[in-house]
Amino acid sequence: MGKNDCIVVGGGIIGMATARELALRGLRVSLFDKGKLGMESSWAAGGILSPMRPWSENPGSFELSHQGKACYAGFISELKQQTGIDPEYYCSGLLMISQDDVGKTLQWAKNHEILFDEEYKNYPVNMRIPAKSIFLAEIAQVRVPRLLKALHASLLDLQVNIFENAELADLDNTQNNTQGILQSVTISGKKHYADNFIITAGAWTEKLLKKNDAQIEIEPVLGQMLCLKFPEQRFEMMVLDGGHYFIPRKDGHILIGSTMEHVGFNKETSETAKNELMAWARELWPDISEAKFIKHWSGLRPATENGKPYIGQLENYDNVYINAGHFRKGILQAPVCARMISEMIC
């Protein structure tokens, strides 16, 4: 393999979208991941295409979310046309029911001219929805495993070189290098050369760049989720209650999420978390007990202190870029952040 125009390190939704955008611009791209593409935080995501509490979001991150929402339908349409894979993107709407958040949601919706409904009743009769709730009809969802499958197929179609189970060891700094220009990276014991390098390693980004004294602070935050299944879809809208939520799928699957745990890089699931999520779900909607239990999983969200992701050049390098730290908004922000990084390069 000859020299790349770009090497992308980290194959989650951010890395895959970035590699795709660069390839669409005609660049020769290689994408590396220490495991399988999309199988860390991205695969664990629920696919709500909105910030959880938009009124408290960092303004810079909010703008990325706003732009992401605006371009998402087109992003999905292009992927579907290119690959034939349907990521099941649609506007199911979201019902905000936390009594601590309803007033803030209402004010936020009014301030940003977001459609809202304070009288929404299209939910199961025995779902215990508080009288004071807000329905946001324009919030969409996407089925993340199918989105990742479509992105993978798109990358292959665009002839992106994909290397799985390939872990970055170091940025190769030698005395012969031009000041500020990285020549190569060592991955799984082999040097790989490129004109540009993009680090999209999510919660692992700080670890990867620690040797280079990069001023990057990204903390892993564990989220655990459950999947259950009914024979058919019981309701359409997503339900958000503080940090907990229902995400119903068209085929009867329903996701229940999620926890927020500061446990380092420990990804183990726990019965305590499972019981917590099921207790919340049964209290809100007793019928959930009729559903078949399918799966319990977890992922490490990449959190930054100020809530804004790192997007731009790595300090002291002219050709190394970072696109990481999107926390719970990586699925939503991926297309716009991929475009931003690509515009810095070409």
Side-chain angles (χ1 to χ4, degrees), residues 277-291:
L277 293 171
M278 285 304 304
W280 168 81
R282 291 191 188 101
E283 176 65 24
L284 178 62
W285 188 40
D287 284 9
I288 195 68
S289 298
E290 301 171 12

Side-chain angles (χ1 to χ4, degrees), residues 13-288:
I13 183 74
I14 299 296
M16 294 172 81
T18 300
R20 178 178 185 268
E21 182 66 28
L22 290 165
L24 285 170
R25 293 167 183 250
L27 299 184
R28 182 172 182 175
V29 182
S30 287
L31 173 61
F32 294 82
D33 193 83
K34 67 182 183 63
K36 296 291 186 181
L37 290 193
M39 292 306 294
E40 288 290 349
S41 176
S42 299
W43 192 91
I48 300 175
L49 296 176
S50 172
M52 304 295 275
R53 289 184 172 87
W55 56 86
S56 63
E57 190 174 3
N58 175 287
S61 182
F62 178 81
E63 180 58 28
L64 293 174
S65 296
H66 179 70
Q67 292 181 32
K69 179 183 175 184
C71 75
Y72 225 88
F75 173 62
I76 294 296
S77 178
E78 290 173 6
L79 274 175
K80 189 175 178 180
Q81 184 175 4
Q82 181 191 8
T83 68
I85 298 169
D86 182 7
E88 291 190 12
Y89 163 88
Y90 74 110
C91 286
S92 60
L94 184 144
L95 187 63
M96 303 279 285
I97 68 171
S98 169
Q99 298 304 284
D100 292 333
D101 294 342
V102 164
K104 297 170 185 175
T105 303
L106 182 60
Q107 191 60 52
W108 169 79
K110 289 178 178 178
N111 290 345
H112 293 88
E113 299 182 347
I114 305 294
L115 290 178
F116 64 91
D117 183 355
E118 297 180 82
E119 305 295 332
Y120 184 81
K121 301 296 180 186
N122 191 23
Y123 49 80
V125 173
N126 62 341
M127 188 175 283
R128 296 164 178 165
I129 301 296
K132 189 178 180 182
S133 300
I134 304 292
F135 180 65
L136 304 172
E138 296 175 315
I139 293 183
Q141 61 166 282
V142 67
R143 198 156 184 170
V144 178
R146 297 190 183 199
L147 172 60
L148 295 170
K149 184 178 179 181
L151 276 169
H152 198 161
S154 173
L155 293 173
L156 293 175
D157 182 61
L158 291 167
Q159 299 184 331
V160 171
N161 300 304
I162 295 173
F163 297 84
E164 297 182 311
N165 302 309
E167 188 165 4
L168 174 68
D170 201 3
L171 306 184
D172 296 331
N173 298 309
T174 70
Q175 292 181 348
N176 295 327
N177 282 356
T178 304
Q179 182 67 29
I181 301 295
L182 183 67
Q183 304 287 348
S184 64
V185 290
T186 299
I187 298 177
S188 297
K190 183 179 179 180
K191 287 186 182 294
H192 295 268
Y193 296 85
D195 293 327
N196 299 281
F197 301 83
I198 305 95
I199 311 299
T200 58
W204 286 265
T205 299
E206 180 180 345
K207 268 189 170 184
L208 291 181
L209 298 176
K210 197 169 185 178
K211 293 180 184 177
N212 301 85
D213 298 322
Q215 300 301 306
I216 303 294
E217 295 183 4
I218 296 178
E219 177 192 7
V221 179
L222 182 71
Q224 298 190 47
M225 294 178 63
L226 309 176
C227 178
L228 286 75
K229 190 175 189 311
F230 289 98
E232 69 288 317
Q233 188 177 31
R234 295 290 186 92
F235 58 93
E236 186 172 90
M237 84 291 177
M238 297 177 285
V239 180
L240 180 61
D241 182 15
H244 292 148
Y245 51 77
F246 283 142
I247 306 176
R249 304 301 196 199
K250 291 181 177 181
D251 62 1
H253 285 92
I254 183 166
L255 305 188
I256 302 173
S258 68
T259 64
M260 290 267 288
E261 304 169 61
H262 298 267
V263 292
F265 286 90
N266 180 4
K267 293 198 302 176
E268 291 184 7
T269 58
S270 69
E271 283 298 308
T272 299
K274 179 181 177 181
N275 292 338
E276 172 197 323
L277 293 171
M278 285 304 304
W280 168 81
R282 291 191 188 101
E283 176 65 24
L284 178 62
W285 188 40
D287 284 9
I288 195 68

